[in-house]
């Protein structure tokens, strides 16, 4: 499996083995990335959350021990970002065909909010013209974004 590399184009080239290797990792919720197929030269631009959050039911035993009346609790855990190779089916097929070792994975932007992640992913996709050429695996640009999500970027 190839590791994630943080901002190699800016001369940093930090190998990312854990969240702790990332600068300002305490504030980060996700990142925008580029995956490159070194065999065909095709790219994929996407985003990934570092953590996943879900609701889980509280057992009767736990309710008794914690003396709570709640029925659900939120559980936050690290996502599968270390082994992640995108959500595109053609990219996944190529990873299966060529093997993970023939792909490079770069972290382009470390994001403090999910909204920032969504905005920067779409911005990278539009700036690179991912829909205009066959050099990219991306076949769609989909974004749902509120105004408050990007106000902090332009202050």
């Amino acid at each position: 499996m190839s590791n994630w590399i943080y901002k190699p184009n800016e001369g940093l080239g930090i190998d990312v083995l854990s969240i702790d290797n990332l600068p300002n990792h305490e504030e980060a919720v996700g990142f925008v990335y580029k995956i490159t197929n070194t065999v065909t030269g095709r790219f994929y631009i996407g985003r990934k959350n570092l953590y996943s959050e879900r609701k889980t039911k509280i057992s009767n035993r736990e309710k008794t021990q914690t003396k709570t009346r709640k029925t659900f609790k939120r559980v936050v855990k690290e996502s599968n970002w270390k082994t992640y190779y995108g959500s595109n089916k053609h990219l996944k097929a190529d990873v299966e065909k060529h093997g993970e070792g023939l792909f490079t994975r770069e972290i382009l932007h470390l994001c403090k909010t999910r909204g920032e992640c969504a905005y920067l992913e779409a911005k990278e996709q539009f700036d690179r013209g991912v829909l205009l050429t066959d050099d990219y695996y991306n076949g769609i640009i989909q974004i749902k974004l509120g105004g408050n999500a990007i106000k902090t970027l332009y202050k």
Side-chain angles (χ1 to χ4, degrees), residues 22-41:
L22 295 168
N24 300 324
H25 64 88
E26 302 88 7
E27 300 173 351
V29 298
F31 57 88
V32 176
Y33 63 86
K34 179 175 98 170
I35 296 178
T36 306
N37 182 334
T38 59
V39 175
T40 65

Side-chain angles (χ1 to χ4, degrees), residues 30-111:
F31 57 88
V32 176
Y33 63 86
K34 179 175 98 170
I35 296 178
T36 306
N37 182 334
T38 59
V39 175
T40 65
R42 290 181 79 190
F43 306 98
Y44 182 75
I45 303 294
R47 70 172 179 233
K48 184 67 179 162
N49 292 326
L50 292 169
Y51 302 97
S52 64
E53 184 178 315
R54 64 185 179 95
K55 284 171 55 174
T56 183
K57 193 168 181 148
I58 298 175
S59 69
N60 287 335
R61 183 178 183 188
E62 189 176 351
K63 278 185 190 181
T64 307
Q65 289 174 345
T66 59
K67 297 181 181 173
T68 184
R69 293 176 12 159
K70 294 181 181 180
T71 56
F72 290 95
K73 65 180 177 180
R74 295 199 180 275
V75 177
V76 177
K77 66 176 192 169
E78 192 172 333
S79 71
N80 65 339
W81 69 273
K82 291 179 187 176
T83 58
Y84 190 71
Y85 277 88
S87 59
N88 181 280
K89 66 180 178 181
H90 302 293
L91 173 61
K92 286 181 179 179
D94 278 359
V95 170
E96 188 74 28
K97 178 181 174 184
H98 300 296
E100 295 174 355
L102 295 177
F103 289 81
T104 59
R105 302 185 302 165
E106 304 169 31
I107 297 175
L108 303 175
H109 304 281
L110 208 53
C111 306

